[in-house]
Amino acid sequence: MSEKREVKPETVGIGRRRFINTAALAGLTVGVAACNDKPANAPAAAASGPVAAPAAAHSGGANATHLKPGELDTYYGLWSGGHNGDVRVLGLPSGRELLRIPCFVPDALVGWGITNESKAVMGTKADGSLRYTVADTHHLHGSYKDGNYDGRYAWVNDKINSRIARIRLDYFICDKITELPNVQGFHGIFPDKRDPVDPAINYTTRVFCGAEFAIPLPNDGKDVNAPEKYRSMFSCVDAETMEMRWQVLIDGNCDLTATSYDGKLAATNQYNVENGVHYEDMMSAERDACLFFNIARIEEAVKAGKFKTVGSSKVPVVDGTREANKDPKTALTAYVSVPKNPHGVNASPDQKYFICAGKLSPTATVIELAKVLDWFDGKMEKVDGAIVAEVEIGLGPLHTAFDGRGNAYTTLFLDSQVVKWNVEAAIKFHAGDKNAKYVVDRLDVHYQPGHINATHSETVAADGKYLAVGCKFSKDRFLPVGPFHPENEQLIDISGDKMVLMADHPVRGEPHDFIIFKRDIVKPKQVYDLNEFPLAVKDAKESGVFRNGKKVTVKLTSQAPAFSLREFTVKKGDEVTLILTNLDKIEDLTHGFAVPKYNIQFVINPLETKSVTFIADKPGVFWAYCSTFCHALHLEMRTRMIVEA
Ligand code: K7E
Ligand code: CUA
Ligand code: CA
């Protein structure tokens, strides 16, 4: 530890650019190794130590993260926001956070969970209050066309309340949220990449959702003390309507999810084939499974009426349990065995393999998708024949990314490393060629990495430029801020043979997963269209107070530096719906609307309309003011709400 302390002041004192590009990196690595109680000359430290010099030789290089003022990033990153229940938009390689898109949890900046429009997306109880105010997002994925991101949508899960949210990537907003029925612990999520049957549908139309926890079906208070009857399900949501399409009853549970490029297969890793209730039960078997779903057959079964429903849900549930799927010719599912509590499953960009990370086993398992289809076609006797490699890569493998050049990058949670390994070499090694060297490089990361993703990693356009790693622990990497540490997202240059650590970024917990894509994939609009909003007040002249008994509608508009009404009067006890349209059409001219003592605050972007409904229960004068700096007369931009006693 003393060694680490000596290194620190030096690295703080020098410029960050020099710090990353000089021997300070090697010095830090030594400190880290000491901190990890690993000898400084452990293979990993040796691999990552001397790489500072080659950094500049790569196209990325360490300097690439330092954009000059005004320079734009070349990639977008969409990060799941963890317990904040939002989605974060980053620019890469700089790592600058550009936006947070609220989804599942209220957000006071934009008024998410306060405006009527956002409440309608989030879901309300009978009394109009929000159904849920907490969430836990883990996994985020984008819509596909021809095997690459198409920039239409992204989806993100909420593990706590089993909800899926959709992000519109034209405006970078959440527009729909669906709660999955009869499941708990919704964790893995992945869009399909084309239709399994119709070749014309070469884009995402379904999103698959895996549920981690088994529960009584229906979960209505019966069978609570009979854990052997608990079951989990795999769900399919329609990408456009966001309605449930179908569910599959399974044995075991679902963890992460992957989809094939031909649309025929989806899969989920299972860490609990034991159906255990306590953790020691869940790790009692030596092998768990990667559970494959034959999408075309499942949808045929639904069409043929071979399903049941659970509880009050109308969603068709087909039977994907082992017992019901023994005959490959009719099977809807296939359980490929994978060693001990696997975690991530990822589809390689060459479209051939799913790679399962072993977690409690130090291995990666490579499953060849063509062989899984052979099994379904009755051409291969044992489905485990689809396993073409099972190789040791290090301790605690969790997730895998790809560079499009045949290499996989897997996080090793326990080793605090990323291991770069070659998939075809691993297959050769597994087939008996003990000279095949599949491990290409190892890099220490800081510390305990979970998710990992590379630029366009899980697409046919994987470009092998940058790799981001979500480290669960930051320990000594940042100034201390009390007991609650940030996490450490690290950016790595993978354009050369050796991985080069480029930057640390502290992040608020706990993002888990993310995707990174070229900036030309999306073309965001920066001014709304008035017609997007049914309630739009399209002309300042339409402003006014409109009474219908105790229900009062207040319509107003904003145009810097004034609201269209200088004052408006309602009566105590009125139910007031206030509709505000921002008629400023200049990019970046956002106003806000805050009402003292009424718990109202939201922002209103160019040509956007938002509404709020509240009971005017406090008489008096309330200066509703513009809360977003918009103009030299921003402070003067207000209106008086008068509530008559
Ligand atoms: Cu994707 Cu963190 Cu939910 Cu692995 S999980 S790390
Ligand atoms: Cu309008 Cu500040
Ligand atoms: Ca297990």
Side-chain angles (χ1 to χ4, degrees):
M1 293 304 270
S2 63
E3 194 174 11
K4 189 181 66 193
R5 290 229 172 85
E6 275 160 34
V7 171
K8 269 192 141 178
E10 183 198 339
T11 59
V12 171
I14 61 174
R16 189 174 160 74
R17 182 174 305 189
R18 232 184 86 217
F19 153 61
I20 287 171
N21 236 353
T22 63
L25 179 64
L28 251 194
T29 312
V30 172
V32 167
C35 170
N36 266 359
D37 294 329
K38 261 189 253 163
N41 60 354
S48 61
V51 296
H58 300 323
S59 54
N63 291 344
T65 61
H66 295 264
L67 299 186
K68 294 199 191 83
E71 262 183 0
L72 301 185
D73 280 292
T74 44
Y75 291 86
Y76 281 99
L78 295 180
W79 253 246
S80 116
H83 316 67
N84 291 273
D86 57 11
V87 168
R88 302 170 192 171
V89 185
L90 271 60
L92 290 165
S94 77
R96 296 178 293 202
E97 186 180 299
L98 309 172
L99 180 72
R100 291 189 178 194
I101 306 168
C103 301
F104 299 113
V105 171
D107 179 288
L109 169 64
V110 302
W112 192 255
I114 294 168
T115 63
N116 294 332
E117 292 75 17
S118 60
K119 282 168 125 185
V121 173
M122 294 172 82
T124 51
K125 300 182 197 167
D127 68 357
S129 64
L130 290 174
R131 189 172 309 158
Y132 305 112
T133 55
V134 296
D136 179 21
T137 72
H138 286 228
H139 301 114
L140 181 143
H141 291 286
S143 56
Y144 284 77
K145 186 175 186 188
D146 284 327
N148 194 9
Y149 297 129
D150 66 0
R152 280 185 301 144
Y153 297 124
W155 290 272
V156 65
N157 76 308
D158 161 28
K159 181 167 168 176
I160 299 177
N161 295 308
S162 292
R163 291 176 293 170
I164 173 172
R166 182 172 72 184
I167 309 293
R168 271 176 68 168
L169 290 175
D170 54 352
Y171 289 118
F172 282 79
I173 51 164
C174 171
D175 77 328
K176 280 193 192 283
I177 292 177
T178 299
E179 185 173 346
L180 312 179
N182 295 314
V183 296
Q184 269 178 34
F186 161 35
H187 192 217
I189 177 173
F190 219 102
D192 71 356
K193 300 183 180 107
R194 56 166 65 232
D195 189 86
V197 179
D198 184 350
I201 303 175
N202 60 346
Y203 52 86
T204 295
T205 57
R206 306 167 181 78
V207 187
F208 302 110
C209 310
E212 220 183 302
F213 308 147
I215 51 171
L217 294 177
N219 193 17
D220 56 4
K222 283 185 236 111
D223 292 335
V224 289
N225 290 318
E228 68 282 358
K229 288 194 184 160
Y230 296 6
R231 280 291 177 279
S232 172
M233 296 200 284
F234 187 77
S235 303
C236 176
V237 174
D238 188 285
E240 276 308 322
T241 65
M242 287 291 283
E243 276 166 21
M244 295 290 299
R245 281 200 181 186
W246 42 259
Q247 295 180 299
V248 184
L249 183 79
I250 61 165
D251 287 322
N253 72 339
C254 305
D255 199 7
L256 277 292
T257 303
T259 61
S260 67
Y261 285 86
D262 61 10
K264 292 181 180 161
L265 297 170
T268 183
N269 263 355
Q270 304 195 287
Y271 64 77
N272 191 12
V273 295
E274 303 92 336
N275 277 336
V277 178
H278 306 294
Y279 76 87
E280 58 273 25
D281 306 326
M282 300 183 203
M283 48 191 272
S284 59
E286 275 316 304
R287 294 183 81 87
D288 285 280
C290 182
L291 165 54
F292 281 81
F293 299 89
N294 187 319
I295 305 305
R297 283 191 193 167
I298 288 169
E299 299 198 340
E300 273 167 35
V302 170
K303 233 187 242 170
K306 293 181 195 151
F307 63 82
K308 55 174 192 171
T309 58
V310 176
S312 59
S313 161
K314 303 254 176 329
V315 179
V317 176
V318 299
D319 190 348
T321 57
R322 286 173 190 266
E323 191 54 38
N325 292 277
K326 283 183 170 157
D327 179 1
K329 292 267 197 177
T330 57
L332 310 180
T333 54
Y335 294 73
V336 178
S337 88
V338 172
K340 202 124 190 178
N341 292 35
H343 188 50
V345 52
N346 297 93
S348 64
D350 62 10
Q351 315 184 31
K352 290 201 259 184
Y353 309 112
F354 279 3
I355 289 169
C356 303
K359 195 168 77 182
L360 300 190
S361 155
T363 55
T365 299
V366 182
I367 300 170
E368 188 174 340
L369 302 180
K371 294 195 167 165
V372 175
L373 290 172
D374 281 350
W375 181 82
F376 277 117
D377 289 343
K379 293 184 204 150
M380 192 174 70
E381 201 195 332
K382 289 226 153 55
V383 73
D384 277 4
I387 298 169
V388 291
E390 203 164 283
V391 291
E392 280 198 27
I393 53 171
L395 294 182
L398 289 187
H399 297 278
T400 300
F402 306 93
D403 62 8
R405 297 186 292 269
N407 300 305
Y409 300 75
T410 302
T411 47
L412 302 173
F413 183 81
L414 298 176
D415 280 340
S416 276
Q417 282 184 343
V418 174
V419 55
K420 172 181 178 180
W421 55 285
N422 185 278
V423 179
E424 293 300 334
I427 292 169
K428 278 193 196 125
F429 182 89
H430 183 81
D433 177 0
K434 296 303 165 197
N435 291 322
K437 288 209 167 38
Y438 56 89
V439 171
V440 181
D441 190 22
R442 291 180 188 275
L443 179 74
D444 280 353
V445 294
H446 316 88
Y447 306 89
Q448 271 77 38
H451 271 283
I452 186 167
N453 220 333
T455 41
H456 284 263
S457 171
E458 273 183 286
T459 76
V460 294
D463 64 2
K465 198 138 162 95
Y466 301 119
L467 185 73
V469 182
C471 300
K472 303 288 186 193
F473 295 79
S474 63
K475 298 184 186 175
D476 54 357
R477 298 296 275 195
F478 306 109
L479 287 177
V481 287
F484 193 35
H485 292 229
E487 292 180 24
N488 185 13
E489 301 280 312
Q490 294 192 308
L491 196 70
I492 294 165
D493 182 350
I494 53 166
S495 58
D497 289 338
K498 291 233 157 241
M499 293 178 276
V500 180
L501 182 61
M502 300 168 71
D504 285 356
H505 291 289
V507 291
R508 201 160 185 237
E510 182 185 352
H512 295 272
D513 204 5
F514 46 85
I515 61 171
I516 310 168
F517 51 85
K518 288 195 173 126
R519 68 184 184 196
D520 57 7
I521 294 286
V522 289
K523 298 269 183 301
K525 300 178 209 169
Q526 301 197 272
V527 173
Y528 278 102
D529 179 345
L530 268 184
N531 299 316
E532 291 264 349
F533 307 96
L535 299 181
V537 185
K538 294 189 178 177
D539 190 315
K541 291 195 206 95
E542 296 171 22
S543 306
V545 178
F546 305 88
R547 176 172 290 278
N548 179 5
K550 292 212 105 184
K551 294 197 176 194
V552 177
T553 304
V554 179
K555 294 187 182 182
L556 73 168
T557 61
S558 60
Q559 232 167 342
F563 294 110
S564 56
L565 299 176
R566 296 176 167 219
E567 60 184 51
F568 57 91
T569 302
V570 298
K571 291 197 176 70
K572 187 185 170 199
D574 284 345
E575 183 196 286
V576 180
T577 296
L578 186 146
I579 304 168
L580 171 57
T581 298
N582 181 3
L583 290 181
D584 276 312
K585 28 171 128 19
I586 302 166
E587 185 185 316
D588 209 2
L589 220 177
T590 296
H591 299 287
F593 196 79
V595 186
K597 315 301 176 190
Y598 273 91
N599 206 32
I600 291 170
Q601 145 62 24
F602 57 90
V603 302
I604 191 98
N605 293 297
L607 298 186
E608 187 176 28
T609 298
K610 283 179 179 169
S611 67
V612 284
T613 298
F614 59 96
I615 305 293
D617 55 0
K618 292 171 278 286
V621 169
F622 303 90
W623 283 104
Y625 68 94
C626 175
S627 56
T628 300
F629 216 106
C630 55
H631 189 274
L633 290 171
H634 155 73
L635 289 168
E636 289 80 353
M637 185 169 175
R638 15 170 159 155
T639 179
R640 253 185 326 151
M641 178 169 84
I642 297 165
V643 181
E644 291 178 344

